[in-house]
């Protein structure tokens, strides 16, 4: 049974909420989507990475529980790593 996950951007103070989310079969698939979203953001955003200092993409479940926090200002995440 699919679960819905949301991908919020936050710097700890400001939050850009994902109001739509995605339905995926498991957490691993949700994390793969999160890594892909970060990669896409890095490709499309022409601002220096320093502007993302302190920002993270938070993977949140349908109950609002934080599942994973992925920093945007670090090295590109390895979507093949185990979490």
């Amino acid at each position: 049974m699919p679960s819905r996950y949301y991908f919020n951007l936050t710097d700890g103070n400001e939050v850009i909420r994902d109001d739509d989310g995605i339905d995926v079969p498991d957490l691993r698939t949700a994390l793969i989507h999160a890594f892909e979203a970060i990669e896409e953001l890095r490709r499309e955003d022409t601002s220096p990475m320093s502007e993302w200092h302190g920002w993270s993409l938070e993977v949140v479940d349908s109950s609002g529980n934080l599942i994973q926090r992925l920093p945007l200002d670090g090295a590109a995440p390895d979507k093949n790593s185990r979490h």
Side-chain angles (χ1 to χ4, degrees):
M1 181 172 180
S3 297
R4 184 164 290 268
Y5 291 91
Y6 300 86
F7 305 110
N8 300 325
L9 293 171
T10 184
D11 67 355
N13 296 313
E14 183 178 348
V15 177
I16 302 170
R17 295 202 183 279
D18 171 10
D19 293 326
D20 299 324
I22 60 167
D23 288 322
V24 292
D26 54 36
L27 175 58
R28 184 175 190 286
T29 304
L31 292 174
I32 289 170
H33 281 279
F35 295 145
E36 290 171 348
I38 291 172
E39 288 172 6
E40 182 178 342
L41 181 63
R42 287 179 174 165
R43 272 193 316 271
E44 293 178 358
D45 188 355
T46 59
S47 61
M49 283 309 296
S50 62
E51 289 190 21
W52 288 111
H53 181 73
W55 282 82
S56 299
L57 185 141
E58 294 183 338
V59 180
V60 179
D61 68 14
S62 60
S63 298
N65 297 312
L66 176 64
I67 303 300
Q68 184 82 30
R69 180 176 289 124
L70 304 169
L72 298 182
D73 57 357
D78 178 3
K79 63 183 169 186
N80 296 316
S81 69
R82 294 185 176 208
H83 298 285

